[in-house]
Amino acid sequence: MSGFDGPWLALREPLDRAARDGALVADVARHLVRVTDPRVLDIGCGTGSTWRSLSESLPGTVEWLLLDHDPLLLTEARRRIGGNRAVVVREHDLNDITGLPLEGVALVTASALFDLCSRSFCAALVARLAETACGLYAALTYDGVMGWSRTHPLDGAVVEAFNRHQRRDKGLGPALGPDATEGLAELLRERGFDPRIGSSPWRMDHRSAALQAAFLGGFRQPLSEIGTLSAGEIEEWLSFRLSVIDAPDSRCLVGHSDLLAFPPRERTSSPKLSASPRKQD
């Protein structure tokens, strides 16, 4: 699976936290209050941003298991988490869905992940969630929408090319890209879940110039690989975009969606789930 570096994840984390759909976060908390010995499994955890974003909103009894394939990001996650005994960090290849440690887990979480995943990956994960009666909170999934207050003639062509690239294989099969949230919701409904979707767009302005610069810097390679724009057009567009990020009236919106789904029996009877005895990590 393609990785992301620590500095980029650190830049985006405050905006991610602000963008999350608050109503869905509140529902996550209400769900976990009803669970005995609640455990949360965060997949594709990076440096632990999902835990940092949610932990203060969730019951103090929640135990977390954080999984990622990247040992460097996991080292940073362990450093930032410190000695918190309620959080375990572990390396895991997300292609191994069968091996996901879902026993006793009440909720799987993931942030900015599913637009990088294939439909077959999502189908396999949803099947395991259904088998284990586990909920899913999938946040900050890119939805294909981008817009700027200061427009440029190439904006539409750039977004179209970028979205085409988002559907390429990122290491978890041909990616769903902007179709990920709806694709995931469809798969969940087929298994009896009733997913709810909220909006979680990034809203960037001159106060987030550093993030905008890093974000724009990530366009050159995918636009070049798609090949619908010439090198000159790409550089012209990037030069314009970078020149206006400090302007007070310059704003950028990048669409994301949050999804929350509980297994069918959680919606009907809301029983308390007893976690299996925890194995030593």
Side-chain angles (χ1 to χ4, degrees):
M1 177 181 170
S2 300
F4 298 95
D5 61 28
W8 163 247
L9 295 177
L11 274 174
R12 66 172 290 171
E13 184 169 330
L15 204 61
D16 282 344
R17 183 177 299 193
R20 289 176 186 271
D21 185 290
L24 294 188
V25 171
D27 285 344
V28 168
R30 281 191 286 269
H31 171 68
L32 293 175
V33 163
R34 300 196 304 267
V35 177
T36 302
D37 301 325
R39 298 187 73 189
V40 172
L41 175 66
D42 186 46
I43 60 175
C45 69
T47 64
S49 65
T50 301
W51 171 73
R52 285 188 293 276
S53 294
L54 297 183
S55 57
E56 292 183 3
S57 301
L58 303 187
T61 54
V62 174
E63 294 186 347
W64 289 76
L65 175 57
L66 277 54
L67 301 184
D68 202 285
H69 75 292
D70 190 324
L72 295 178
L73 294 181
L74 292 176
T75 296
E76 178 63 11
R78 293 186 183 96
R79 185 190 71 80
R80 298 188 67 175
I81 290 165
N84 191 324
R85 299 184 64 182
V87 186
V88 173
V89 178
R90 184 182 301 164
E91 188 172 344
H92 185 87
D93 181 356
L94 294 188
N95 284 293
D96 180 15
I97 295 175
T98 302
L100 286 176
L102 288 175
E103 183 179 359
V105 171
L107 187 71
V108 168
T109 63
S111 298
L113 175 67
F114 287 103
D115 46 288
L116 307 176
C117 301
S118 66
R119 185 176 179 86
S120 61
F121 174 94
C122 292
L125 176 63
V126 168
R128 287 224 56 207
L129 296 177
E131 291 167 3
T132 54
C134 184
L136 176 67
Y137 171 62
L140 301 160
T141 305
Y142 175 59
D143 67 5
V145 175
M146 272 189 269
W148 293 267
S149 60
R150 291 198 176 189
T151 61
H152 186 278
L154 290 172
D155 287 343
V158 165
V159 174
E160 182 181 2
F162 182 82
N163 287 346
R164 282 180 59 191
H165 194 276
Q166 285 296 100
R167 293 181 171 90
R168 290 189 171 186
D169 193 332
K170 305 297 191 296
L172 296 171
L176 286 170
D179 303 320
T181 297
E182 287 301 329
L184 192 56
E186 179 184 340
L187 292 165
L188 287 160
R189 292 187 192 104
E190 290 173 357
R191 293 282 182 165
F193 291 75
D194 186 17
R196 289 182 294 121
I197 297 172
S199 182
S200 53
W202 280 0
R203 301 183 188 276
M204 297 183 283
D205 57 22
H206 65 282
R207 293 167 295 186
S208 50
L211 177 62
Q212 287 197 65
F215 175 65
L216 291 167
F219 275 75
R220 185 175 284 104
Q221 180 178 341
L223 295 181
S224 299
E225 290 178 355
I226 289 297
T228 54
L229 294 166
S230 69
E233 288 174 321
I234 294 170
E235 294 309 317
E236 174 194 336
W237 184 82
L238 286 173
S239 178
F240 172 79
R241 284 273 150 249
L242 289 167
S243 72
V244 299
I245 58 176
D246 290 317
D249 65 339
S250 180
R251 296 178 300 280
C252 173
L253 181 144
V254 181
H256 298 91
S257 298
D258 294 352
L259 177 150
L260 179 62
F262 298 126
R265 69 190 183 100
E266 284 297 308
R267 299 201 313 273
T268 54
S269 59
S270 299
K272 290 189 175 182
L273 301 178
S274 295
S276 301
R278 185 173 182 181
K279 299 178 181 179
Q280 293 297 316
D281 294 306

